[in-house]
Amino acid sequence: MKRRERRAQLGQAAGFLRGLPHVTVAAPVITNFSMTNSLEILYGIDYTSYDALKPFRFLSGGRFQGPYDVIVDDIWARTGNGHHVGETVTILNHAFRICGIVENGKGGRRFIPIDTMGALTGSEGKATVDHISRATVPPTRRRSSRRSNRQGLQGYRVQPMEDIIALYTPSRFPGFDIALRVGDLDCRDRGFLVIFQTM
């Protein structure tokens, strides 16, 4: 029963968004930042709605079969000694089975079921973000539809994808901008020495 209640809560915002004019898909997602070995954003997804945004292209395996299945992209699958379907990997201190390998470009490198992510991170029945897809809006109706879309969205932060992508800058990650400056200085020094020796 609790699982059904969580599903209903998750579906409230997505259901409301689907009811807005021109919205064709609303997919709730829980994101989790990890900086253990490298910077990674783990995605907890509702497979059906997330796949409807832009279908996964499986290179091997397939969709989730159980709560502790993970879909990985081809870039992550090539890390280390390589990974394959059926292999067990550790995510958030739990064992997950790789059920599918997909082409990159779907947002994250690894995807787990949203209910599992909620249970493991203490965010059950919630979503970090709702990805939406919308039909093309005629230019004459864009302004009025924007106004009507804001009604009922009080308390929610609505951002276009361009603004979200702009947040992923070096200054947003601790220590990254320092490492970038050190690398830049090192390159300048080497360039100066090469030019000096050539002259």
Side-chain angles (χ1 to χ4, degrees), residues 29 39 47 55 62 129:
V29 177
L39 178 66
Y47 181 88
V129 66

Side-chain angles (χ1 to χ4, degrees), residues 10-33:
L10 267 174
Q12 284 177 357
F16 174 78
L17 291 168
R18 283 186 204 107
L20 293 175
H22 312 294
V23 172
T24 55
V25 180
V29 177
I30 300 176
T31 57
N32 183 273
F33 284 87

Side-chain angles (χ1 to χ4, degrees), residues 148-170:
S148 65
N149 284 354
R150 288 181 186 154
Q151 294 171 1
L153 290 178
Q154 295 82 359
Y156 290 95
R157 190 171 178 186
V158 180
Q159 291 179 285
M161 189 54 80
E162 296 82 26
D163 292 351
I164 293 171
I165 290 170
L167 294 175
Y168 299 117
T169 58

Side-chain angles (χ1 to χ4, degrees), residues 36-67:
T36 48
N37 297 328
S38 62
L39 178 66
E40 179 188 24
I41 306 172
L42 178 66
Y43 277 42
I45 62 167
D46 170 61
Y47 181 88
T48 305
S49 59
Y50 198 80
D51 186 57
L53 292 169
K54 180 183 174 188
F56 283 106
R57 292 191 62 189
F58 283 93
L59 304 176
S60 61
R63 61 182 294 163
F64 303 132
Q65 299 300 314

Side-chain angles (χ1 to χ4, degrees), residues 86-150:
E87 180 183 347
T88 300
V89 294
T90 302
I91 301 172
L92 300 174
N93 299 320
H94 283 79
F96 280 79
R97 180 186 70 92
I98 297 176
C99 64
I101 298 174
V102 296
E103 282 187 358
N104 63 78
K106 284 287 288 179
R109 296 270 179 248
R110 298 192 287 178
F111 305 87
I112 65 174
I114 193 167
D115 289 337
T116 306
M117 175 75 99
L120 294 177
T121 59
S123 51
E124 296 171 59
K126 298 177 182 173
T128 308
V129 66
D130 280 292
H131 292 261
I132 63 170
S133 177
R134 65 186 188 124
T136 306
V137 184
T140 54
R141 297 178 63 185
R142 275 183 195 153
R143 213 174 263 176
S144 60
S145 69
R146 274 183 195 152
R147 277 194 212 115
S148 65
N149 284 354
R150 288 181 186 154

